[in-house]
Amino acid sequence: EPAPRADAAAFARILMQLPLDDADADAGVDASGTGGNGVESARGEKRVRNDRIKGELGVRLRYPTYREGLAAIADGDRTPFF
């Protein structure tokens, strides 16, 4: 699930029950953790496709989306990266 960095950070803050900040509002993120207007930061956004490593190397991701990975960390998973 490609997403701007601000969306992932906002989702993490929601999981941690922290208030959203101005950057979240600028990205269009609401309390549900969704949104984002696609605006890229000055540093640029990097998007990574993982279908090739999955197909060619047989990799199976424990948490295929950032939402699943962050939720697992918030629930106490201390080894999300194996």
Side-chain angles (χ1 to χ4, degrees):
E1 162 186 14
R5 210 173 302 147
D7 287 5
F11 186 71
R13 281 194 284 286
I14 290 166
L15 290 173
M16 296 169 40
Q17 299 180 351
L18 298 173
L20 298 177
D21 64 16
D22 292 339
D24 301 321
D26 292 342
V29 177
D30 59 25
S32 71
T34 61
N37 60 12
V39 175
E40 295 181 0
S41 71
R43 293 179 292 197
E45 293 287 333
K46 311 296 185 283
R47 303 241 176 164
V48 178
R49 291 180 48 182
N50 60 26
D51 57 335
R52 190 169 173 193
I53 65 164
K54 291 190 296 186
E56 291 182 18
L57 302 177
V59 171
R60 186 185 63 80
L61 302 174
R62 183 183 290 184
Y63 305 111
T65 69
Y66 77 88
R67 292 176 189 276
E68 291 171 284
L70 290 174
I73 292 168
D75 287 342
D77 187 343
R78 299 293 178 235
T79 57
F81 306 110
F82 293 106

